[in-house]
Amino acid sequence: WEGPNRGLHDFSYEACLFEVKSSILSKEMYFNIFSPTQLIETGGKDLYLIHQVFSWEASGISINNLVSRLKKKLADNKVASSIFDELISLSGYHKMHHDYYETQEFRLSHVKTDTYAVDADFPKVLASDTHSSIRVHGYSIEVEGCAEQLLGSFEDCVKGLEWN
């Protein structure tokens, strides 16, 4: 995993790239894009946007439990574990809020994982779309605006990918 602070895309493989976004289920969901370089293909690899959709449900998993599970998976890799701790801290996750995160309002259930092909028709802002003196530091794309690039569920899509 290269991650957003260590590489251009979240996951980089020999034949393809993955950019991962997540949302809480609502009528208006957006992909928050942090720079014009985030949705560009590199090295002739196909780029996919993976959209994790969650909902708040009292019967779901607590944020603390989710973080704990991820930390256990990363425990053998000190560098990955350290980067994970840094990133969740930057996102506002802190132990002092542990009791608050255990409340029923902060329990998540996974709804679905959709895969989008980030191709020439995918709605995005490229550096070449703006004047050279303008710096775009972030923008949002309505999920509904990407319907034509929706390939289906992640599980179904990865079955057909060649991993080399």
Side-chain angles (χ1 to χ4, degrees), residues 1 3 7 10 18 36-38 56 62 73 75 80 89 99 103 131 156:
W1 179 55
D10 289 331
F18 294 105
T37 60
Q38 194 172 18
W56 296 115
S62 74
K73 288 185 179 197
S89 177
D99 292 342
T103 61
H131 190 277
D156 291 338

Side-chain angles (χ1 to χ4, degrees), residues 22-82:
S22 48
S23 301
I24 300 299
L25 187 61
S26 69
K27 290 181 182 178
E28 296 178 3
M29 291 187 288
Y30 294 88
F31 299 130
N32 292 315
I33 310 301
F34 298 100
S35 81
T37 60
Q38 194 172 18
L39 294 181
I40 60 169
E41 304 85 4
T42 58
K45 298 178 182 183
D46 292 329
L47 175 60
Y48 300 93
L49 189 144
I50 309 303
H51 185 208
Q52 299 272 19
V53 181
F54 297 93
S55 65
W56 296 115
E57 291 185 23
S59 62
I61 185 173
S62 74
I63 293 174
N64 292 329
N65 195 330
L66 180 63
V67 168
S68 178
R69 286 181 186 182
L70 291 169
K71 284 186 174 201
K72 283 180 185 175
K73 288 185 179 197
L74 297 172
D76 292 339
N77 185 326
K78 298 296 182 194
V79 173
S81 183
S82 176

